[in-house]
Amino acid sequence: MSTPLIFDHRAVRLHRDRAARRQAEVLPILQAATDHLIDRLDDMARPFATALDIGGRGLVCRALAQRGISTVALDISAPQAALSDAPALCSDLETLPFAAHSFDLVTACLSLHWVNDLPGLFAQIRHILRPDGLFLASLPILPTLGPLRKALETAELAVSDGVSPRVSPLPTQQSCAHLMQRAGFALPVVDSDVLDLRYRTLGALMADLRAAGETNALALRPRGMTPRMLFPAATAMLEDTDEGSFAMPLHMAVLSGWAPAPTQPKPLAPGQFQHNLGEYLADGA
């Protein structure tokens, strides 16, 4: 069965090419997301010698280098890959050009949500990890950009005859957990984090999305002229607040999972437990 074509990879690449020149405009947001991810790495007792960073915009590579981890950077955009102070490759993210058991660690900070075949990519990541290697990633999840999606849909219904796909679909935290389990990672953990962001105008939000390379790259995105009143109508909906700004929080799922290894702890099978939970609950009553 072929993978559905949800995203236009040429558009994704062009958007990230442009973002490489404008990264300074959104650097505080990108750095905060990087810090949130790398903080999880500092909780790991296991050392890592070699890493692959996917789409880290140079920020993740520098953080790993500070921890003495030799890193290779991978990005769909050559200008983005060049931002890393490390050996870098430009490649389609649907097919990873690495042999099995190549890395101790694979990281991805807000860079996998434009991939058409996420289950296949997760399986490839597990394949290139050495036994007991770690996959550590963050993905934007719903309800990120929910207010923008609602405003654009409502405005487009008001000014035209239908609704066009203008905001990328995002996974949920639960679907991220299913992806980790399906790919066969051991001891998978998926939790959530939020960056609280506010904007005074829709124009400022759109400028940040362009500077981050996060504008519409859907394969079915509208290609014709945008209705003249669409953005003014959406602007009126978003900016009609007493505070003079509107919230647009970035919700992230933070994923960690290990390539299976014989040395890892294994959950007990049913019937192997030595103590009855009911006894402890009764004692505490």
Side-chain angles (χ1 to χ4, degrees):
M1 183 182 295
S2 61
T3 302
L5 182 63
I6 303 171
F7 305 112
D8 177 349
H9 282 178
R10 180 177 181 276
V12 173
R13 176 176 56 79
L14 292 175
H15 292 171
R16 289 184 69 84
D17 287 351
R18 177 180 61 192
R21 302 188 298 269
R22 300 182 56 181
Q23 181 164 294
E25 299 174 30
V26 287
L27 186 58
I29 299 173
L30 298 176
Q31 188 63 63
T34 299
D35 293 343
H36 280 234
L37 182 67
I38 298 300
D39 283 348
R40 310 300 177 94
L41 184 62
D42 293 336
D43 295 333
M44 309 295 175
R46 182 200 188 287
F48 302 97
T50 59
L52 170 67
D53 172 54
I54 303 175
R57 306 169 185 264
L59 302 176
V60 175
C61 278
R62 282 192 283 276
L64 295 177
Q66 291 171 0
R67 290 158 176 79
I69 302 173
S70 177
T71 306
V72 174
L74 178 69
D75 203 289
I76 192 174
S77 160
Q80 285 284 353
L83 294 175
S84 302
D85 300 326
L89 294 174
C90 178
S91 171
D92 187 338
L93 301 187
E94 303 283 347
T95 305
L96 299 181
F98 303 102
H101 304 165
S102 295
F103 301 98
D104 300 317
L105 171 69
V106 174
T107 59
C109 184
L110 302 180
S111 58
L112 303 183
H113 53 292
W114 295 112
V115 173
N116 285 309
D117 184 13
L118 267 180
L121 177 61
F122 276 39
Q124 291 181 69
I125 289 172
R126 185 176 68 81
H127 182 68
I128 66 174
L129 280 169
R130 297 187 180 112
D132 205 32
L134 176 65
F135 174 41
L136 181 65
S138 60
L139 275 81
I141 57 173
L142 294 175
T144 297
L145 295 181
L148 175 62
R149 179 181 290 105
K150 181 178 179 180
L152 289 173
E153 289 176 352
T154 304
E156 192 164 14
L157 280 173
V159 303
S160 64
D161 296 330
V163 175
S164 303
R166 297 184 182 276
V167 178
S168 174
L170 294 174
T172 63
Q173 183 175 346
Q174 184 178 19
S175 64
C176 290
H178 290 162
L179 284 169
M180 295 292 284
Q181 293 170 343
R182 178 176 173 179
F185 285 101
L187 309 173
V189 175
V190 179
D191 57 15
S192 61
D193 215 335
V194 181
L195 291 181
D196 292 317
L197 306 175
R198 297 192 70 87
Y199 290 89
R200 293 188 180 278
T201 66
L202 175 58
L205 169 60
M206 298 304 294
D208 272 9
L209 290 174
R210 283 191 293 271
E214 298 294 336
T215 46
N216 192 357
L218 289 166
L220 296 178
R221 67 193 184 278
R223 308 297 178 99
M225 294 291 292
T226 300
R228 184 172 60 87
M229 293 304 297
L230 174 62
F231 286 103
T235 296
M237 296 175 194
L238 281 173
E239 298 178 12
D240 185 18
T241 63
D242 295 332
E243 295 85 357
S245 63
F246 56 89
M248 196 64 63
L250 170 56
H251 296 261
M252 301 177 290
V254 182
L255 293 61
S256 64
W258 301 84
T263 56
Q264 292 167 343
K266 301 292 190 298
L268 292 175
Q272 289 186 317
F273 298 96
Q274 298 177 349
H275 301 284
N276 190 317
L277 178 60
E279 296 175 1
Y280 287 96
L281 296 176
D283 291 342

